[in-house]
Amino acid sequence: EAGVAQSPRYKIIEKRQSVAFWCNPISGHATLYWYQQILGQGPKLLIQFQNNGVVDDSQLPKDRFSAERLKGVDSTLKIQPAKLEDSAVYLCASSLGPLGGAEAFFGQGTRLTVV
Amino acid sequence: KQEVTQIPAALSVPEGENLVLNCSFTDSAIYNLQWFRQDPGKGLTSLLLIQSSQREQTSGRLNASLDKSSGRSTLYIAASQPGDSATYLCAARGSRLTFGEGTQLTVNP
């Protein structure tokens, strides 16, 4: 079974530039999550999709971050414009369902450095 | 709001030692608790998933327990090896999957 795929693995941009990350979840997984992990901290949920609808985006900085999941499969997360404090690893995860006993599987992450 | 705490933040042990990592959560209304391993520069690897109705799960040298009423989970690692060196994260699933800050484990040869 293929895992959660993310690209790119690394990205370095200057502040005020824009950047986009891509995620392909495990086939058949209806729920997709984007997490932000700042160095030395645990991951923090940015947004959760159920199929192509948003379930939870309460911690997404909507003035600069946006995400979409077209056709309920792949997803992209965009930051525009980036700030220095956005430097972090962005993790994508998927699970069969949003609640209950569904196990979450994570991708390798995209490490973003904003200079 | 769910808060997850992991103690200790860092742990260094000699090879062969048995060890316990602790995880506590404030809201006991969870569906499950999941333990992950994270190697430097890598994503998260799921180790064990304990459903809210279960008390423990075992995989090889790993054993995780869950006490919902007290809001605690422990990860027991038997006969630790240098290859176990990594950061271990616990996450409680309620309305969202909430993570602790992790325990950074170093097993010295």
Side-chain angles (χ1 to χ4, degrees):
Chain A
E1 179 183 84
V4 177
Q6 290 188 246
S7 67
R9 286 295 314 277
Y10 307 93
K11 191 74 177 179
I12 300 174
I13 62 172
E14 295 182 350
K15 59 183 179 183
R16 290 186 290 274
Q17 285 187 323
S18 62
V19 64
F21 312 127
W22 174 83
C23 173
N24 181 241
I26 293 173
S27 178
H29 280 195
T31 306
L32 185 147
Y33 316 79
W34 282 102
Y35 281 83
Q36 179 193 59
Q37 186 178 24
I38 294 172
L39 186 63
Q41 299 182 16
K44 182 186 81 172
L45 179 69
L46 292 175
I47 189 167
Q48 177 179 333
F49 292 94
Q50 174 66 11
N51 295 310
N52 60 348
V54 175
V55 173
D56 184 349
D57 64 355
S58 57
Q59 300 186 110
L60 185 74
K62 298 181 184 65
D63 57 333
R64 297 183 302 106
F65 286 66
S66 65
E68 61 180 6
R69 190 183 185 196
L70 298 177
K71 300 180 182 179
V73 182
D74 294 6
S75 177
T76 56
L77 176 69
K78 296 179 182 177
I79 307 175
Q80 181 179 8
K83 294 184 175 181
L84 295 177
E85 58 262 36
D86 298 332
S87 294
V89 175
Y90 291 84
L91 296 163
C92 179
S94 70
S95 64
L96 276 173
L99 298 174
E103 185 173 1
F105 296 88
F106 282 76
Q108 290 294 296
T110 295
R111 181 177 297 278
L112 173 68
T113 302
V114 182
V115 298
Chain B
K1 177 186 173 185
Q2 178 75 275
E3 292 183 4
V4 179
T5 303
Q6 291 188 246
I7 294 174
L11 182 63
S12 182
V13 300
E15 182 177 3
E17 195 161 294
N18 302 324
L19 56 99
V20 174
L21 307 182
N22 297 292
C23 172
S24 62
F25 46 96
T26 56
D27 185 352
S28 62
I30 61 171
Y31 294 98
N32 61 47
L33 188 132
Q34 199 166 351
W35 282 92
F36 294 88
R37 168 183 174 141
Q38 187 172 34
D39 293 287
K42 303 285 187 179
L44 277 64
T45 300
S46 180
L47 297 174
L48 289 164
L49 173 73
I50 312 175
Q51 302 294 352
S52 61
S53 59
Q54 297 175 322
R55 296 285 292 182
E56 64 179 310
Q57 280 287 337
T58 298
S59 176
R61 295 182 292 109
L62 304 180
N63 176 276
S65 67
L66 175 64
D67 185 342
K68 261 186 61 173
S69 60
S70 67
R72 294 180 182 178
S73 177
T74 61
L75 179 66
Y76 175 83
I77 302 177
S80 59
Q81 302 171 359
D84 295 331
S85 297
T87 296
Y88 291 81
L89 293 152
C90 69
R93 176 181 295 281
S95 59
R96 66 169 67 125
L97 189 63
T98 303
F99 282 85
E101 299 285 288
T103 294
Q104 187 173 354
L105 173 65
T106 302
V107 181
N108 301 300

